[in-house]
Amino acid sequence: RAHFPGTGIFQCPITGLAFKVKSAVTITYKYASWTKHLSKADQEMWIPAGPLFRIQVQPGVVEAVHLPHFICLAEDVDTSLCSIAHFKSGKMTLERPTRLIPFSAVLENPTFSLLGALWRKLRSTLKSLPVHSLVLIFQQLSAANTTLHLYLIPDDKSVKQAIEKQEMDWNSKIIPKPPPFRPLFLGCIYRVTSTNSVEIMPEEQLPFCYKSPKEQQLFFEIYIRNMAEEIGLRMTDTRSDTEVWRASLRSGRNSSTVLWACCLLGVAFLKKHRTNLCSRMGQLSTILLHLRHANVINSDEEEEVRGQGTSQRRNQLLLDLVEKKGWEAQEQLYQILRTKNPYLITDLEKPN
């Protein structure tokens, strides 16, 4: 429940839900389950594109609601396939969003019930639907030796929170992790491999799919007999063997715990090629979009970069910001550049 004291925009930091209101108001909202309300026939035609919410507020006060979604709009998807679902008296009605923006479907002058963003399934497009995603790794503290659970999920906060709660009940500890450095695709198969001898069960590959928070989520169980050495993990798209994510694990101070470590390739690359990046880094709008999504920069910093007079000044300011935020931010930018401007990266990494 949130009380808004007057006209303005409120965004919930836990759910990503946002409201534009005309006057002071109290809003009550909570997650609901798509599986419980979406009929089997509707599940054949539609796929959830974000959390489902139950929202209660007095009529006429909310000018607009921003419903979070996880579809990657930077990949030129057909936005006409998005609809807002309303559930009343067990029946679903659909409404086109007023507009679709990165990470939110905006509905102006809304009426409230159970509502959330859906995406129309087309056989020709389902496996080409790009999705922002998360990798979650948990260590089971009570298991023998080192046992990890690795989840690959769409960037849906309701699903993430349900997994975290379940893993805490299993006496697990979350290990900090990077997200994939490129969009993933629903319905596609992803493989996890290791640089060392580890056991990955039930198998090394799983389909990438959406499961409602109330459902049991798919995960890889990774069993490591000996953590004396650093363990590297790599995830690839089985269609093209393209790498989409990587990380490494090493022993913590306590031999029963592990820590996440990321390669410092990004730090070295940005430092070595800073001058060339200032003059040659393109596709700035797409880069900023991905950095915002990864929480590397905020909206004020994005506007500050966009407000610079020349492309070289914009690039220089962005590099300054990312450098100040540390090696994780620099690694994020490096991976985005590898995905969005591979020719520039290849050219700069050529031996002299």
Side-chain angles (χ1 to χ4, degrees), residues 169-270:
D169 291 340
W170 289 349
N171 192 29
S172 299
K173 174 185 177 182
I174 192 166
I175 300 172
K177 68 289 172 190
F181 43 74
R182 62 184 67 198
L184 304 188
F185 296 87
L186 291 171
C188 292
I189 306 295
Y190 292 89
R191 177 184 294 114
V192 172
T193 55
S194 174
T195 57
N196 302 69
S197 179
V198 304
E199 294 181 30
I200 301 177
M201 299 174 286
E203 53 189 16
E204 293 183 347
Q205 57 189 39
L206 284 176
F208 180 50
C209 61
Y210 180 89
K211 284 182 171 289
S212 193
K214 297 292 186 180
E215 297 180 271
Q216 173 62 56
Q217 304 294 320
L218 302 177
F219 62 85
F220 296 96
E221 182 174 87
I222 302 172
Y223 175 70
I224 305 170
R225 189 178 300 276
N226 182 6
M227 273 298 297
E229 300 178 2
E230 186 172 286
I231 304 294
L233 296 175
R234 179 174 182 260
M235 187 179 297
T236 55
D237 186 332
T238 59
R239 296 174 301 174
S240 58
D241 200 33
T242 302
E243 184 181 69
V244 297
W245 175 85
R246 72 173 183 272
S248 58
L249 299 166
R250 59 174 179 245
S251 296
R253 292 181 180 179
N254 183 329
S255 60
S256 66
T257 63
V258 297
L259 299 173
W260 164 70
C262 187
C263 297
L264 299 182
L265 295 176
V267 176
F269 179 86
L270 297 183

Side-chain angles (χ1 to χ4, degrees), residues 61-131:
V61 178
V62 177
E63 292 186 15
V65 60
H66 292 236
L67 298 164
H69 71 76
F70 48 70
I71 307 301
C72 180
L73 302 185
E75 300 293 317
D76 297 324
V77 299
D78 183 359
T79 57
S80 67
L81 298 177
C82 181
S83 291
I84 305 300
H86 294 259
F87 295 92
K88 293 181 179 180
S89 303
K91 295 183 179 180
M92 183 177 77
T93 59
L94 298 172
E95 184 176 3
R96 287 293 305 277
T98 307
R99 61 186 182 279
L100 201 62
I101 61 176
F103 316 119
S104 292
V106 183
L107 190 62
E108 294 181 352
N109 301 314
T111 58
F112 290 106
S113 57
L114 282 167
L115 73 169
L118 288 176
W119 206 269
R120 182 68 178 266
K121 282 186 180 181
L122 296 178
R123 287 188 178 182
S124 61
T125 62
L126 181 58
K127 290 193 177 182
S128 61
L129 184 61
V131 172

Side-chain angles (χ1 to χ4, degrees), residues 311-327:
S311 61
Q312 185 160 346
R313 288 177 65 86
R314 288 191 286 272
N315 291 342
Q316 182 177 352
L317 178 57
L318 178 59
L319 291 169
D320 288 342
L321 284 170
V322 171
E323 183 178 345
K324 289 177 183 177
K325 291 175 182 287
W327 61 269

